[in-house]
Amino acid sequence: PGISSGALKMIRHKIKTEWRLKGRISESLEVIAKEVNPKIRGWINYYGHHRRSDLYELAYMINNYLARFIKKKSKVIKTWDQAWKYLLKVKADKPETFSHWHMISPSKRRAV
């Protein structure tokens, strides 16, 4: 038992519709983190009870949305690679910002 593809699809839909990162470029990552961390912790606690390693896909998906947000927010960051580097720099500087950064290992590469 772990997170199913249907559950990931449902989470992806919730991130798109409820978080609305596209329209929040005036806000900082910290403000967004305060709002979404309880949801992330809930998903990790619910779906990670048996097979925590299945949550790498979830971490990658959340980070991908955050990288897209950073790319859209910044006028300096133009490429995905720059957005990912910035996101990983923020993670190194403030690992407690997002819940999934210390609960599961987020990286640029997708877990296979």
Side-chain angles (χ1 to χ4, degrees), residues 16-103:
K16 282 182 179 181
T17 58
E18 291 177 10
W19 292 11
R20 299 181 192 261
L21 294 178
K22 287 181 181 179
R24 300 174 72 176
I25 41 180
S26 62
E27 296 178 15
S28 68
L29 278 176
E30 288 79 16
V31 171
I32 291 171
K34 284 181 184 178
E35 182 184 322
V36 301
N37 273 341
K39 295 173 188 172
I40 294 172
R41 275 193 304 272
W43 291 331
I44 290 170
N45 288 335
Y46 183 78
Y47 293 111
H49 186 68
H50 294 288
R51 290 181 60 189
R52 212 156 181 88
S53 62
D54 284 350
L55 295 177
Y56 293 138
E57 184 77 20
L58 175 64
Y60 174 80
M61 184 174 60
I62 292 170
N63 283 339
N64 200 30
Y65 279 103
L66 293 174
R68 184 182 302 166
F69 168 77
I70 290 167
K71 189 176 161 203
K72 196 167 195 73
K73 180 179 175 74
S74 173
K75 294 179 193 256
V76 178
I77 298 172
K78 303 265 186 227
T79 66
W80 279 103
D81 197 43
Q82 291 173 337
W84 274 101
K85 284 180 183 175
Y86 180 81
L87 187 64
L88 293 176
K89 181 180 175 281
V90 171
K91 180 197 176 275
D93 293 344
K94 300 177 190 170
E96 70 284 346
T97 305
F98 285 94
S99 296
H100 69 287
W101 283 354
H102 71 276
M103 295 178 113

